[in-house]
């Protein structure tokens, strides 16, 4: 029987959605609690800014690569045991971060943490795909995205105050406790949402499934578009804490409130999407989102090289990009998942691997280049805009693939 809306779902499905929000929030907090302390770590460890930034960029890159593994494993062994095990491993990795005594140890710990939390991205997409159909799937992604977006509003603020009061290690201690509690909640309350397939981990079958996905021009285009959104939200905590501290002489607490404002605008974008998909095709809403993001990137590039590059002026394009990404993050997952008939775990793994690996390149680029401040960020984002627009154009007219009807299967 067709689901009529999230509000009419049974208790088990609602509990599952809440657990997914908490799981994604853990991933977000793994960076946002820590981000306000970044500008102070070079002096603490006696190292360079570039080395400290690697704790962000390599974490994101490992997250992207790790997603490739969890999809097939979840088809073979089920979503529940893989997710519970991964979050338990994340708790141990967070403890490793807490105890790190050198920048090299912290980089390794962050890499392992990215590998552990990669399961969250794949399995959240897969579980939502398992539980919802048609436009209810879009609304579920919108609700999940809006709920999760509350986390990056408060977590950098919380992280900044924890850092000021107790130091950067305390942030990872808090993360360790949260991950441990979430492991217990998932173990007790998460239901299995898929029938396992013994052949799912066959190398031949995995290669065949991925090959079928990679032949879908629509799927690849959606994944690349999503990667540009990921790129913005990965490079933001890599670059902006240093920009605010070094160019505008702002305290760690200011970054928390600044990111909170940006994410609040992103939430508005996800909420606007929920309304727009009731009146327009989902792919049309996506086009609007890409247009907003591209406009914001161009504006950021222009103002960063002008004589009026004050913080309020620079904030305007950053806000526009965040709002447009609310459209992208809400519409791409269901469109991409419905663009292929491969198993949800495989499709999710491919989508997350492409979007996160490509998206993390923005952070990697900012990490390896000499710190260029806002102009460096603007140049990275103009490339992001070009990639997003080209991906949208190359997708072509794929309405029959990408429209999400109410009775989609």
């Amino acid at each position: 029987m067709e689901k009529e809306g999230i509000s009419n779902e049974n208790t088990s499905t609602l509990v599952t959605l809440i657990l997914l929000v908490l799981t994604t929030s853990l991933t977000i907090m793994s960076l946002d609690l820590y981000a306000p302390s970044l500008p102070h770590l070079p002096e603490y460890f006696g190292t360079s800014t570039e080395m400290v930034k690697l704790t962000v960029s390599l974490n994101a890159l490992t997250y992207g690569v790790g997603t490739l593994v969890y999809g097939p494993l979840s088809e073979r062994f089920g979503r529940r045991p893989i997710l519970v095990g991964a979050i338990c491993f994340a708790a141990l990795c967070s403890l490793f971060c807490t105890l790190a005594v050198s920048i090299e140890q912290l980089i390794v710990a962050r890499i392992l943490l990215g590998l552990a939390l990669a399961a969250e991205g794949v399995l959240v997409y897969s579980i939502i795909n398992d539980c919802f159909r048609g436009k209810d799937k879009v609304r579920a992604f919108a609700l999940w995205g809006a709920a999760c977006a509350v986390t990056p509003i408060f977590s950098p603020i919380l992280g900044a105050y924890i850092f000021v009061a107790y130091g950067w290690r305390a942030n990872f201690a808090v993360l360790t406790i949260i991950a441990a509690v979430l492991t217990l909640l998932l173990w007790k309350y998460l239901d299995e949402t898929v029938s396992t397939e013994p052949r799912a981990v066959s190398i031949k079958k995995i290669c065949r499934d991925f090959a079928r996905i990679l032949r879908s021009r629509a799927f690849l285009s959606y994944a690349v578009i999503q990667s540009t959104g990921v790129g913005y939200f990965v490079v933001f905590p890599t670059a902006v804490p240093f920009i605010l501290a070094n160019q505008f002489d702002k305290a760690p607490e200011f970054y928390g409130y600044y990111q909170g404002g940006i994410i609040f605008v992103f939430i508005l974008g996800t909420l606007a999407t929920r309304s727009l998909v009731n009146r327009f095709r989902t792919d049309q809403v996506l086009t609007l989102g890409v247009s907003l993001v591209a406009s914001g990137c161009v504006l950021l590039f222009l103002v960063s090289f002008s004589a009026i590059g004050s913080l309020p002026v620079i904030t305007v394009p950053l806000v526009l990009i965040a709002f447009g990404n609310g459209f992208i993050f809400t519409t791409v997952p269901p469109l991409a998942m419905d663009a292929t008939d491969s198993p949800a775990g495989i499709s999710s793994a491919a989508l997350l691997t492409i979007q996160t690996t490509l998206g993390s390149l923005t952070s990697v680029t900012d990490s390896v280049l000499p710190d260029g401040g806002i102009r460096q960020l603007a140049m990275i984002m103009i490339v992001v805009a070009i990639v997003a627009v080209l991906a949208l154009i190359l997708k072509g007219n794929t309405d029959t693939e990408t429209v999400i009807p109410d009775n989609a299967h």
Side-chain angles (χ1 to χ4, degrees):
M1 183 175 180
E2 182 68 28
K3 299 179 179 68
E4 297 179 357
I6 298 174
S7 61
N8 295 327
E9 292 298 321
N10 57 41
T11 302
S12 177
T13 303
L14 290 175
V15 168
T16 297
L17 193 57
I18 292 170
L19 290 173
L20 297 184
V21 169
L22 295 176
T23 305
T24 301
S25 296
L26 175 69
T27 299
I28 296 169
M29 293 180 73
S30 71
L31 173 59
D32 288 346
L33 280 176
Y34 163 63
S37 63
L38 284 171
H40 304 271
L41 292 187
E43 181 180 359
Y44 181 90
F45 284 116
T47 187
S48 65
T49 296
E50 288 75 21
M51 285 290 287
V52 170
K53 286 185 175 182
L54 287 176
T55 64
V56 178
S57 59
L58 294 183
N59 170 272
L61 187 61
T62 308
Y63 179 97
V65 174
T67 56
L68 195 61
V69 177
Y70 290 108
L73 288 177
S74 73
E75 297 292 340
R76 171 60 182 87
F77 298 105
R79 318 286 194 220
R80 182 180 182 276
I82 299 300
L83 187 58
V84 172
I87 300 304
C88 181
F89 182 43
L92 296 176
C93 294
S94 298
L95 181 60
F96 185 10
C97 291
T98 307
L99 302 176
V101 296
S102 68
I103 189 61
E104 291 80 11
Q105 287 185 9
L106 185 58
I107 289 173
V108 171
R110 293 280 299 167
I111 288 173
L112 293 175
L113 183 59
L115 180 63
L117 292 176
E120 170 270 324
V122 176
L123 297 183
V124 164
Y125 278 27
S126 300
I127 292 171
I128 291 178
N129 191 72
D130 295 338
C131 296
F132 298 92
R133 297 292 182 269
K135 288 192 175 181
D136 283 341
K137 191 189 304 182
V138 180
R139 298 185 186 99
F141 272 110
L143 182 60
W144 163 76
C148 293
V150 174
T151 304
I153 290 179
F154 76 82
S155 58
I157 299 172
L158 176 62
Y161 283 107
I162 291 175
F163 165 69
V164 170
Y166 303 105
W168 66 270
R169 295 180 189 277
N171 284 311
F172 285 111
V174 170
L175 190 70
T176 302
I177 295 170
I178 294 173
V181 172
L182 180 58
T183 299
L184 295 176
L185 291 175
L186 291 171
W187 178 76
K188 184 172 179 61
Y189 296 109
L190 181 65
D191 293 331
E192 184 56 70
T193 61
V194 69
S195 299
T196 57
E197 170 55 59
R199 297 181 302 155
V201 292
S202 161
I203 299 299
K204 181 178 180 180
K205 185 176 187 300
I206 291 173
C207 291
R208 186 169 62 247
D209 287 333
F210 278 120
R212 185 163 64 249
I213 290 172
L214 296 178
R215 286 195 296 267
S216 171
R217 185 175 68 176
F219 182 91
L220 291 177
S221 297
Y222 292 134
V224 171
I225 292 170
Q226 182 88 331
S227 75
T228 64
V230 172
Y232 174 66
F233 285 111
V234 173
V235 78
F236 190 96
T238 308
V240 173
F242 292 94
I243 292 171
L244 293 177
N246 298 334
Q247 291 188 230
F248 298 104
D249 197 28
K250 299 297 183 180
E253 299 92 328
F254 182 85
Y255 171 77
Y257 290 108
Y258 190 80
Q259 177 178 306
I262 294 293
I263 298 301
F264 179 74
V265 174
F266 171 75
I267 294 176
L268 295 180
T270 64
L271 295 176
T273 305
R274 293 192 68 199
S275 175
L276 289 172
V277 294
N278 291 323
R279 290 176 285 178
F280 301 96
R281 293 200 317 268
T282 308
D283 60 308
Q284 291 176 321
V285 179
L286 172 62
T287 300
L288 176 58
V290 171
S291 301
L292 291 170
V293 168
S295 299
C297 292
V298 172
L299 182 59
L300 178 64
F301 183 81
L302 294 176
V303 300
S304 67
F305 284 89
S306 71
I308 55 173
S310 64
L311 184 56
V313 172
I314 289 170
T315 300
V316 172
L318 293 177
V319 164
L320 185 58
I321 296 170
F323 186 71
N325 273 321
F327 291 47
I328 291 175
F329 274 76
T330 305
T331 57
V332 164
L335 285 169
M337 299 287 279
D338 282 2
T340 173
D341 59 356
S342 296
I346 303 295
S347 301
S348 297
L351 179 61
L352 266 294
T353 299
I354 294 171
Q355 72 180 42
T356 311
T357 303
L358 293 180
S360 67
L361 295 180
T362 59
S363 179
V364 172
T365 301
D366 187 71
S367 299
V368 300
L369 292 177
D371 189 22
I374 190 63
R375 291 184 177 180
Q376 182 169 292
L377 175 62
M379 288 187 287
I380 291 172
M381 291 308 301
I382 203 69
V383 174
V384 166
I386 293 171
V387 171
V389 171
L390 286 177
L392 189 65
I393 293 172
L394 292 175
K395 178 178 71 68
N397 184 13
T398 56
D399 291 348
T400 56
E401 261 189 302
T402 60
V403 172
I404 302 181
D406 286 327
N407 295 321
H409 294 287

